[in-house]
């Protein structure tokens, strides 16, 4: 069951001109009704207005629209291209030292040079007399 209500003075003031909008599901079932009089206010003199003897009703039908679907074909092609690239370029299975020796050797060389300068040098400290 569906229930809808509007103040009676709205209908009288709009001279029985209204719009009824039916909201239906994709299956064709009514899921909502909207009744909208043309004028939606109740003036103080609404009781004095002479109401017409016939309704002037417009009916609108609203159906849900299917939204845009994702472009799955291009995504699948992209995934396939990435898999082909992985197959062509296998992962690098070298050890850490084999990959980064060019950074390790200068670092060790620098450490060796700097540690050699910090050693105290032997020498005659001279004696004072």
């Amino acid at each position: 069951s569906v229930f809808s209500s509007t103040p009676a003075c709205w209908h009288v003031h709009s001279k029985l001109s209204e719009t009824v909008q039916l909201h239906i599901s994709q299956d064709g079932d009514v899921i909502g009704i909207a009744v909208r009089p043309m004028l939606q206010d109740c003036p103080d003199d609404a009781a004095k207005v002479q109401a017409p003897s016939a309704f002037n009703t417009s009916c609108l039908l609203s159906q849900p629209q299917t939204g845009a679907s994702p472009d799955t074909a291009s995504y699948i092609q992209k995934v396939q291209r990435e898999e082909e690239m992985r197959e062509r370029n296998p992962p690098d299975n070298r050890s850490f030292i084999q990959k980064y020796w060019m950074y390790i050797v200068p670092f060790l060389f620098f450490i060796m040079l700097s540690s050699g300068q910090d050693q105290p040098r032997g020498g005659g400290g001279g004696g004072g007399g």
Side-chain angles (χ1 to χ4, degrees):
S1 68
V2 179
F3 177 76
S4 179
S5 66
T6 55
C9 65
W10 288 8
H11 294 279
V12 172
H13 187 64
S14 64
K15 298 181 182 171
L16 301 179
S17 294
E18 60 196 8
T19 302
V20 177
Q21 186 172 9
L22 297 173
H23 300 276
I24 62 170
S25 67
Q26 289 180 341
D27 300 330
D29 299 328
V30 176
I31 56 174
I33 296 177
V35 177
R36 292 186 183 99
M38 295 300 169
L39 301 173
Q40 297 178 358
D41 62 343
C42 290
D44 294 336
D45 63 346
K48 300 175 187 173
V49 174
Q50 189 90 22
S53 60
F55 284 92
N56 180 17
T57 304
S58 300
C59 188
L60 299 174
L61 190 62
S62 295
Q63 295 177 333
Q65 296 179 356
T66 306
S69 61
D71 186 14
T72 55
S74 65
Y75 178 73
I76 291 172
Q77 290 174 355
K78 177 184 170 191
V79 169
Q80 289 173 344
R81 281 192 305 258
E82 289 175 357
E83 287 178 7
E84 289 172 2
M85 291 298 287
R86 278 191 223 117
E87 290 173 0
R88 287 185 208 153
N89 301 328
D92 194 1
N93 291 329
R94 296 181 295 169
S95 69
F96 179 80
I97 294 176
Q98 287 175 333
K99 288 181 189 177
Y100 301 107
W101 68 269
M102 65 201 78
Y103 303 109
I104 296 171
V105 169
F107 177 73
L108 291 176
F109 185 71
F110 177 75
I111 295 294
M112 288 172 50
L113 287 178
S114 64
S115 66
Q117 292 176 356
D118 290 343
Q119 293 178 351
R121 298 186 182 194

